[in-house]
Amino acid sequence: MGKKELLKLASLCLAIAATACGGPSGQPNANVATGSQKLAQIQNQGQIVCGVSGELPGFSFVDATGKYAGLDVDICRAIAAAIFDDPNAVEFRNLNAKERFTAVKSGEVDILSRNTTWTLSRDTGAVGLQFAPVVFYDGQGVMVRQNSGITNLAGLKDKAICTQTGTTNEQNIADRMASLSINYQVVVFEDINVAYATYLQGRCQAVTSDRSQLVSRRSRFPNPEQHLILENTISKEPLAPAVAPGDTNWSDVVNWIIYTTIYAEELGITSENVEEMANSTNPEITRFLGTEGNLGQELGLSNDFALRVIRHVGNYGEIYNRNLGPETPLNLERGLNRLWTDGGLMYSPPFR
């Protein structure tokens, strides 16, 4: 047996040992039942490695205290809370649009939580990631200067539009402008910071990206009120985390932790009342919070994994309001990101 094979065997043994002996809490893990090598590896390393943008206020950025914050960041903290009962057991790595998929498939990061649109070609083929539930329903927009006189897409005829390569935005704007028979000049950059800087310098008359990103970036402009996001929404952009293919049990763990935040909001369980709700006699709540049943064990987690998530990170509504809501600089209306019971698209399968 060669050195490479020995190293692989040693790694496998470590994963098996972590599975048999349990996580940091000392509770036995159920990974033998779930068969998740990735979960066992993460439990053994003591943290998850989360790929983020790191430059998008409201979604993932370093705040004034020097800590990562944002909706995408909180998704990773929720996963860490479920696995380790510690939302800070996360290492964040900034990834640009070009390198993000390779980082997931190579194992450099355990999960990609980086305002990434779920598409067929990214779900199959050469990219072939395993996408988790959508955490933010968005659409692509276009931003121009208030004094440009441009009020719709027709006003962009023969104008230069900045965008980032390696994203859905470049193809979406091409498709829409072609359908309207509008000639324009696209100016693409690998670095999104350069794209926005070029727009601010006046070398592009417009910049296009997801509407949430435009709002987020505009909030950091020297004079944000001088920039207008057109009413046109030119695409669907369901933004979702993703993991590498091949370990369906790990993707199940990620999926159900995200559903936990949505289901908690449906049930009215928050970070402020979760301890009280844990004493409920309602079977739906006791099953969900793990005071009865073994739903967590079936995933390879502690049975109280949902309680851990809500205690440390909160439900989806709390996460949204904390990062994007009316008391934040972005003040994004929830819109499609409301619960299904309130006319939105946020919906969790039953926990049973």
Side-chain angles (χ1 to χ4, degrees):
M1 185 179 293
K3 182 177 181 181
K4 185 177 295 186
E5 287 76 13
L6 284 170
L7 288 172
K8 287 182 178 180
L9 180 60
S11 177
L12 179 60
C13 288
L14 284 172
I16 293 171
T19 297
C21 298
S25 65
Q27 297 182 4
N29 294 326
N31 294 337
V32 171
T34 66
S36 176
Q37 293 184 7
K38 171 57 78 171
L39 178 56
Q41 173 195 328
I42 290 169
Q43 288 170 323
N44 187 57
Q45 68 193 24
Q47 64 176 6
I48 65 167
V49 182
C50 179
V52 295
S53 164
E55 299 181 326
L56 196 59
F59 289 87
S60 63
F61 72 114
V62 178
D63 65 18
T65 67
K67 295 182 179 179
Y68 277 88
L71 185 147
D72 290 338
V73 166
D74 278 347
I75 294 299
C76 290
R77 294 196 193 284
I79 296 170
I83 297 173
F84 301 109
D85 201 14
D86 179 4
N88 297 313
V90 187
E91 177 186 337
F92 294 102
R93 293 190 187 173
N94 292 3
L95 301 171
N96 65 34
K98 184 178 180 180
E99 65 192 3
R100 55 184 164 170
F101 301 136
T102 302
V104 180
K105 297 190 72 173
S106 69
E108 178 187 341
V109 298
D110 300 316
I111 181 171
L112 180 69
S113 186
R114 188 199 177 282
N115 59 297
T116 297
T117 303
W118 186 357
T119 70
L120 185 150
S121 60
R122 291 173 174 178
D123 200 11
T124 61
V127 178
L129 298 183
Q130 187 72 44
F131 279 86
V134 175
V135 296
F136 190 87
Y137 289 94
D138 207 350
Q140 186 173 335
V142 177
M143 182 161 57
V144 298
R145 291 170 184 77
Q146 285 274 11
N147 63 5
S148 67
I150 299 171
T151 58
N152 53 40
L153 295 180
L156 293 170
K157 181 179 179 180
D158 298 325
K159 300 293 193 297
I161 304 175
C162 282
T163 192
Q164 186 179 23
T165 190
T167 68
T168 56
N169 304 137
E170 183 180 0
Q171 187 61 58
N172 288 339
I173 191 68
D175 290 347
R176 177 56 63 91
M177 298 299 262
S179 71
L180 297 173
S181 299
I182 299 173
N183 293 322
Y184 73 104
Q185 177 189 355
V186 64
V187 184
V188 298
F189 302 90
E190 286 191 5
D191 188 337
I192 191 62
N193 295 311
V194 178
Y196 282 100
T198 303
Y199 163 74
L200 287 173
Q201 292 164 7
R203 292 167 55 194
C204 289
Q205 286 73 54
V207 60
T208 184
S209 186
D210 298 344
R211 296 182 71 87
S212 62
Q213 183 181 127
L214 295 176
V215 172
S216 175
R217 287 285 179 161
R218 183 176 62 179
S219 70
R220 289 191 162 186
F221 285 180
N223 299 290
E225 71 284 352
Q226 295 180 6
H227 302 268
L228 168 72
I229 298 174
L230 301 181
E231 292 185 3
N232 307 80
T233 299
I234 63 177
S235 70
K236 293 182 293 184
E237 302 294 326
L239 308 182
V243 298
D247 190 332
T248 57
N249 299 116
W250 169 235
S251 64
D252 282 343
V253 168
V254 172
N255 292 350
W256 284 100
I257 291 171
I258 293 172
Y259 285 137
T260 291
T261 66
I262 299 169
Y263 202 62
E265 186 179 10
E266 292 181 18
L267 294 175
I269 304 175
T270 70
S271 58
E272 295 183 355
N273 69 14
V274 65
E275 307 297 344
E276 178 184 352
M277 296 292 274
N279 297 317
S280 171
T281 58
N282 182 326
E284 185 176 14
I285 293 175
T286 58
R287 185 170 54 244
F288 175 58
L289 295 180
T291 54
E292 291 185 5
N294 61 351
L295 293 182
Q297 183 180 347
E298 293 177 10
L299 283 171
L301 301 174
S302 169
N303 284 329
D304 67 347
F305 77 94
L307 188 149
R308 294 177 175 188
V309 170
I310 304 160
R311 174 195 290 144
H312 292 298
V313 184
N315 66 35
Y316 181 81
E318 290 179 281
I319 293 171
Y320 188 100
N321 289 333
R322 178 166 60 243
N323 296 297
L324 306 170
E327 295 186 7
T328 70
L330 302 187
N331 189 21
L332 287 175
E333 293 186 8
R334 277 189 70 169
L336 296 177
N337 297 294
R338 297 191 299 266
L339 290 179
W340 65 284
T341 51
D342 193 28
L345 297 177
M346 285 297 166
Y347 186 105
S348 168
F351 277 68
R352 62 173 62 249

